[in-house]
Amino acid sequence: MAMERIVIAGGRPLSGKVRIGGAKNAALPILGATLLTEAPCVLREIPNLTDVAVMLSILEHLGAKVEVKGDTVTVEAATLTSLTVPEHLMREMRSSIIVMGALLTRFGKVKVSQPGGCDIGSRPIDLHIKGLRELGADIEEKHGYITATCKRLRGTSIHLDFPSVGATQNLMMAATLAEGTTVITNAAKEPEIVDLQNFINSLGANIKGAGTDTIRIEGVEKLHGTDHTIIPDRIVAGTYLIAGAITGGQVTVENVIPEHLESLLAKLREMGVQVETTGDSVTARVTQQPLRAIDSLRTLPYPGFPTDLQAPMMALLCVANGTSIVTETVFESRFKHVNELRRMGADIKVNERTAIIRGVPALSSANVAATDLRAGAALVLAGLAADGITVVSDIHHIDRGYVDLDENLRALNARIERIGC
Ligand code: EPZ
């Protein structure tokens, strides 16, 4: 419900374990990739998030059969009835642009409404369009719609000006059924790209190199079905570890791939948090407070520090001992959470893409509003650390990327409730 809020009585250290589910940013492109084949695809560990629900409604709008049983989703895109993603669905979630490559390469046509920007930047798609044109697509942008057509895409070499996650994914999918070989250089290296490669190869494709900056795709004629389990969500896992740190407690995240979290774990250790890992779990434990500030934190494409953890990390730096400097190099305006953190007593100065955070002894509870999904998570974390009652509104943003955040935090000993309007 639009008016739901999260209410937190802060000041209590978290303790306990939380199992991490499938990654939103792996599930969304892989759901798009089910359009590459007419055979049924069984996908496991699909998180129950509003962004996933939007993607499922897009697949159904196109005519695919979708069946949801808990965290398992079966998609069968045998015969589609539309090749257009309508405006209202594109506006709900701009990353629906991810269906372009699959629809174009299999059917020779796709029409999508121009994706809107969002709260973290203009989110252009020029690299997607440029790459599809290099693969041989004719693309027209008119009346707020983008229409792409082609006979059969032809493999080629594509160099991305920026290692864009979405552009890499869209072009991998487009190249899968193209004629000949495609090589993408300066490709994004995120784990979600590797998961997409593994998914598409399990359909019978031939893609190599995901996880490195050069991906090679041999076009194939036809694909079959598969049964694939989505990788765990490294951003959700990182958010819970930071929650443990900001409350001076101890949190273990289970069912994770620790190497996907390395850049965060290094920064938590730099602050004085004790971090232990096993094969599929990570524990963050605070043994002394306040934690140390971080001289310089720069968000970077993987394996650098993830931009999606910049806001949650900033909440933690607000109560560290000393001054930290955070530079957001990936998105041009991803500091919307700063004003809300200031309402809680944070001392932060922003100059373009750089924020200077001077740690304060404690944050003070306040009424704050989520502006985007990771900013919303950061405000919940700040509320966990602040004395008194913090109320976070506009929490529909949070539900886009976190399954049962309040419930999971309550199970970790937090005093937190979700209340209706
Ligand atoms: C994906 O977005 C994620 N979303 C984002 O997660 C994540 O923050 C981002 O990758 C970076 O890791 C999904 O996977 C659904 P990009 P995406 O293309 O693909 C510029 C979250 O919180 N760019 O790598 O849109 C762009 O403007 C979300 O879960 C172009 O200039 O990210 C941005 O500045 C937020 N032209 C930078 O590249 C293009 O054609 C990174 O964008 C494409 C991108």
Side-chain angles (χ1 to χ4, degrees):
M1 289 183 296
M3 293 303 289
E4 275 191 309
R5 287 164 295 166
I6 283 180
V7 181
I8 303 148
R12 185 190 280 186
L14 295 191
S15 66
K17 300 173 182 219
V18 56
R19 183 189 183 279
I20 302 301
K24 166 176 86 78
N25 292 348
L28 293 175
I30 286 173
L31 284 165
T34 62
L35 295 166
L36 286 166
T37 178
E38 61 190 26
C41 297
V42 177
L43 302 174
R44 300 179 193 283
E45 293 284 353
I46 294 282
N48 177 20
L49 296 165
T50 47
D51 269 12
V52 169
V54 171
M55 183 56 95
L56 295 180
S57 51
I58 287 173
L59 296 178
E60 287 179 318
H61 171 89
L62 297 169
K65 268 188 359 215
V66 173
E67 189 189 317
V68 179
K69 275 198 192 121
D71 288 355
T72 299
V73 171
T74 303
V75 180
E76 185 175 353
T79 47
L80 298 191
T81 51
S82 163
L83 295 174
T84 299
V85 179
E87 183 171 347
H88 72 281
L89 290 174
M90 279 303 283
R91 283 197 181 281
E92 268 197 74
M93 186 184 63
R94 58 162 318 280
S95 35
S96 351
I97 195 73
I98 207 67
V99 304
M100 271 190 93
L103 289 175
L104 180 62
T105 199
R106 181 171 162 210
F107 298 101
K109 182 175 170 54
V110 60
K111 189 175 174 189
V112 297
S113 134
Q114 274 280 3
C118 74
D119 301 292
I120 59 177
S122 60
R123 308 292 293 272
I125 56 166
D126 55 311
L127 301 178
H128 298 242
I129 302 299
K130 183 164 168 276
L132 291 173
R133 282 199 169 112
E134 289 170 339
L135 285 164
D138 290 320
I139 299 182
E140 189 185 56
E141 303 183 54
K142 219 158 65 174
H143 308 309
Y145 269 85
I146 303 168
T147 305
T149 53
C150 68
K151 284 196 178 38
R152 186 178 178 192
L153 295 178
R154 283 184 315 284
T156 184
S157 292
I158 298 171
H159 183 80
L160 291 177
D161 299 347
F162 179 87
S164 151
V165 172
T168 301
Q169 292 165 335
N170 237 335
L171 297 171
M172 279 167 76
M173 288 186 243
T176 296
L177 298 176
E179 188 172 358
T181 302
T182 299
V183 179
I184 303 172
T185 49
N186 197 27
K189 300 187 274 193
E190 275 70 3
E192 293 76 26
I193 309 267
V194 178
D195 203 23
L196 178 63
Q197 168 182 278
N198 294 341
F199 170 75
I200 303 177
N201 281 343
S202 75
L203 298 176
N206 183 349
I207 306 178
K208 290 189 178 62
T212 75
D213 54 18
T214 302
I215 301 176
R216 186 185 182 85
I217 304 110
E218 303 293 345
V220 295
E221 299 297 320
K222 205 165 163 51
L223 298 166
H224 46 71
T226 188
D227 184 319
H228 180 84
T229 300
I230 304 288
I231 58 170
D233 194 315
R234 61 194 168 99
I235 305 301
V236 169
T239 304
Y240 284 114
L241 291 174
I242 297 171
I246 201 170
T247 57
Q250 167 177 326
V251 167
T252 298
V253 290
E254 299 181 317
N255 185 46
V256 298
I257 301 171
E259 74 178 87
H260 291 171
L261 287 155
E262 264 320 311
S263 57
L264 169 68
L265 303 187
K267 288 300 175 189
L268 289 178
R269 289 188 180 107
E270 197 178 314
M271 296 181 75
V273 177
Q274 290 210 349
V275 176
E276 278 135 39
T277 63
T278 70
D280 64 354
S281 75
V282 176
T283 298
R285 174 185 305 111
V286 172
T287 50
Q288 110 261 336
Q289 281 181 301
L291 295 170
R292 295 189 290 271
I294 294 178
D295 291 344
S296 166
L297 178 72
R298 293 168 65 80
T299 66
L300 288 166
Y302 192 88
F305 190 89
T307 172
D308 293 348
L309 283 177
Q310 179 255 107
M313 195 62 169
M314 188 181 285
L316 177 59
L317 293 172
C318 287
V319 291
N321 181 23
T323 299
S324 304
I325 297 182
V326 172
T327 308
E328 172 55 64
T329 75
V330 177
F331 286 102
E332 72 263 26
S333 66
R334 199 170 194 176
F335 283 146
K336 294 274 185 341
H337 42 288
V338 169
N339 284 333
E340 297 302 307
L341 287 169
R342 281 192 187 124
R343 286 173 54 81
M344 299 179 72
D347 179 345
I348 309 172
K349 287 182 183 47
V350 169
N351 173 13
E352 295 187 356
R353 291 191 178 212
T354 299
I356 298 169
I357 301 117
R358 293 162 63 98
V360 294
L363 290 173
S364 64
S365 55
N367 295 340
V368 289
T371 50
D372 61 85
L373 86 101
R374 307 301 174 186
L379 293 170
V380 169
L381 300 193
L384 290 172
D387 283 338
I389 305 291
T390 295
V391 179
V392 183
S393 57
D394 296 341
I395 59 171
H396 60 280
H397 289 291
I398 297 175
D399 294 337
R400 293 186 55 184
Y402 293 89
V403 178
D404 299 337
L405 180 65
D406 51 308
E407 215 173 292
N408 288 326
L409 288 171
R410 208 164 31 250
L412 291 170
N413 201 29
R415 288 169 299 204
I416 180 170
E417 290 294 330
R418 173 187 282 255
I419 56 171
C421 47

